[in-house]
Amino acid sequence: MSLTGTPFFLTAIVLVVVALALPLTLWGRVGGPRPLRLVTRFLMLLFAQVTAIVLVFVIVNNTNGLFDNWADLLGTGDHVRAAADLGPDGTGGKSVKDEPKVVQKFTPATDSRMGPGVRQTELKGRISGVEGEVYVWLPPQYDDPAYRDRTFPVVEVLPGFPGSAKAWFGSLNVNTQLKPLMTKGEVAPFIIVAPRTTLLGDVDTGCANVPGKVNADTWLSVDVRKMVLDNFRVEDKPDSWAVAGYSAGAHCAARLAIAHPDRYRAGVSLSGYNDPAQEPASLTAGTPGLRDANNPLKMLERAPAPPHLSLFISGAQGDGYEGGMAIKQAAKPPTTVQVTMIPAGAGGHGTAVWRHQVPDVFRWLTKQLRH
C-alpha cells in the first residue's frame, strides 16, 4: 500500500475510529483475572495512541511532502549506482554536449495532489551514476502554436530534507499558482523541473559530489539539465536557467548557483542556511574539509572572480535571514543578492510560508532570466 496514497490515508482514519470505539464499547465487558483485564485495557489505549499518531503523521506527510514511499521513510532507499570522482566541474572530463542524446518517456504524474499537467519520468544519470524520478510541468504557452518556435526558461525546484520531489507541486502549489499569472503575462512562462534529491536513505547529500558516496551535484546540474535540454525547447545558456529551494533545498540552491554560474543565472533560497552542519543528517558536514567546501558563503568568498549571478534569499530571524545577509555583504558585482525578511509570526519554518512566497519569487525570476 502506497505511503502517500488515498487507501492508506482512509485506512488510517478507519483504524482511529476503531481504536476509539473499542474502549468505549468493551471497557466494562473485559473479563478474566484482574491482571488480564488491566493488560487488555492498556493494549486498547495503546492501540488508540498509535493509530492517532499514524493518522497525524499521514496528514503532516501528505501536507508537507516529506516522504514519497516506505523506503524513504525507513531510510532504506538507495538511488546511487556509482559515485566516481568526477573532478571540480562534476563532468569527469566529459564534454556533456557531445554525450548521446537523452530521450525520455514521460507519463502523467500519478499523484493527483500535484495538480494538472505534471509529467514524470525515471532518469538514469549517465555521468552522475544516480537514478530517480523527475517531474516536469510545462507552462500554458508551451503547446500554443504561436510559441512553437520559442524556447523557454527553466527553474529546477528542490525540497527540504526529508523531502519529496513532488512537494513544490503538491505542497507549494507552484503550478496552480503560476498558471494564471503566466496566462496574464505577469510571470514568464517557466518550465518547472523537480528532480529527486533524497538519494541515500536517511542521509542529506547537500546536493554535493562526495566521491565514493554520491554525485548529487552532477545529478542535478548535469544529468537532469541535459535531460531537459534533450527533451524540451530550452536553451543551454545560463541566462535561461535558475535553481530554487526551501530549507535544506535552499542550501542546495544557493550552493549549486554559486558553484555553477556557467549553468545557472539565478538562485532562490527560502529559509536556508550556509553551514551544512545545520542539518543533522548532512553528509557534507561529516568532515571539516567537506563542511568548508560546501558552505555557500565561503564558496562565494573563494570564487576566483565574482560570479555573474543573482540570488534571492528570504528567511526569518534565526532561520535564514542572517545567513542571507552574510552572503549579501560578501557579494561583489556582478553578483547581486536580494534578501527579504520573513516577519515573526508568519508561520515558522513550513510549507505554508514558502507557498505564500511563490508568486513573488517567480516575479523576481522573470526579471532575471531570458524569456
Side-chain angles (χ1 to χ4, degrees):
M1 189 179 294
S2 169
L3 177 64
T4 58
T6 300
F8 184 62
F9 178 53
L10 294 178
T11 299
I13 293 175
V14 170
L15 288 175
V16 168
V17 173
V18 171
L20 291 174
L22 283 176
L24 290 175
T25 57
L26 300 179
W27 192 267
R29 301 181 184 181
V30 177
R34 175 179 168 79
L36 178 62
R37 294 199 306 272
L38 292 175
V39 170
T40 302
R41 289 167 178 166
F42 172 76
L43 290 176
M44 286 193 290
L45 293 176
L46 181 62
F47 181 52
Q49 290 290 323
V50 170
T51 56
I53 291 171
V54 169
L55 180 59
V56 170
F57 164 77
V58 171
I59 293 172
V60 171
N61 186 56
N62 290 350
T63 301
N64 294 282
L66 301 177
F67 302 99
D68 263 348
N69 51 51
W70 293 103
D72 287 346
L73 175 63
L74 299 175
T76 58
D78 188 348
H79 295 262
V80 179
R81 303 190 318 274
D85 187 343
L86 299 177
D89 70 347
T91 65
K94 296 181 179 180
S95 173
V96 179
K97 291 182 180 180
D98 296 334
E99 287 292 298
K101 193 171 184 179
V102 178
V103 179
Q104 290 292 124
K105 179 181 179 181
F106 288 82
T107 58
T110 55
D111 193 331
S112 61
R113 295 171 303 164
M114 299 175 74
V118 181
R119 312 175 185 192
Q120 67 183 63
T121 190
E122 290 292 325
L123 176 65
K124 292 186 176 181
R126 293 176 181 171
I127 298 178
S128 67
V130 171
E131 57 186 39
E133 69 274 20
V134 181
Y135 298 94
V136 177
W137 180 81
L138 303 177
Q141 292 89 340
Y142 192 87
D143 293 320
D144 186 334
Y147 288 79
R148 63 179 178 272
D149 298 322
R150 289 275 301 275
T151 57
F152 293 82
V154 180
V155 182
E156 283 188 63
V157 292
L158 312 176
F161 181 85
S164 164
K166 302 175 182 178
W168 273 81
F169 300 110
S171 301
L172 271 63
N173 307 133
V174 64
N175 47 335
T176 54
Q177 287 200 72
L178 293 184
K179 184 175 181 180
L181 298 179
M182 291 179 180
T183 302
K184 295 175 185 177
E186 295 180 21
V187 167
F190 294 103
I191 294 175
I192 311 297
V193 179
R196 168 174 277 274
T197 55
T198 300
L199 307 176
L200 286 175
D202 57 0
V203 174
D204 172 29
T205 67
C207 301
N209 282 1
V210 181
K213 295 290 186 179
V214 65
N215 286 317
D217 181 319
T218 299
W219 161 248
L220 297 168
S221 70
V222 177
D223 283 331
V224 171
R225 195 173 187 276
K226 178 170 174 54
M227 181 276 289
V228 175
L229 286 165
D230 289 347
N231 288 270
F232 302 99
R233 298 197 309 275
V234 301
E235 289 189 18
D236 192 14
K237 297 179 180 179
D239 288 343
S240 296
W241 286 79
V243 57
Y246 62 81
S247 191
H251 167 78
C252 283
R255 185 206 164 281
L256 288 170
I258 292 170
H260 305 296
D262 59 327
R263 300 170 196 172
Y264 304 102
R265 180 62 68 234
V268 175
S269 170
L270 307 179
S271 303
Y273 49 86
N274 293 327
D275 184 354
Q278 289 190 240
E279 168 50 58
S282 172
L283 176 64
T284 55
T287 68
L290 279 174
R291 182 177 174 182
D292 181 82
N294 292 283
N295 183 316
L297 172 61
K298 296 185 177 181
M299 292 169 65
L300 184 62
E301 293 173 337
R302 284 193 302 264
H308 184 189
L309 176 69
S310 297
L311 295 172
F312 178 102
I313 303 174
S314 72
Q317 290 280 0
D319 187 22
Y321 177 75
E322 292 83 356
M325 289 302 297
I327 288 179
K328 183 174 183 177
Q329 291 167 7
K332 299 177 182 178
T335 306
T336 62
V337 182
Q338 176 176 322
V339 181
T340 300
M341 179 184 286
I342 299 174
H349 192 84
T351 53
V353 173
W354 305 318
R355 180 168 57 244
H356 181 72
Q357 292 182 276
V358 164
D360 287 341
V361 164
F362 279 83
R363 289 188 181 101
W364 179 84
L365 285 169
T366 297
K367 299 176 182 178
Q368 311 306 318
L369 300 188
R370 178 185 300 170
H371 52 86

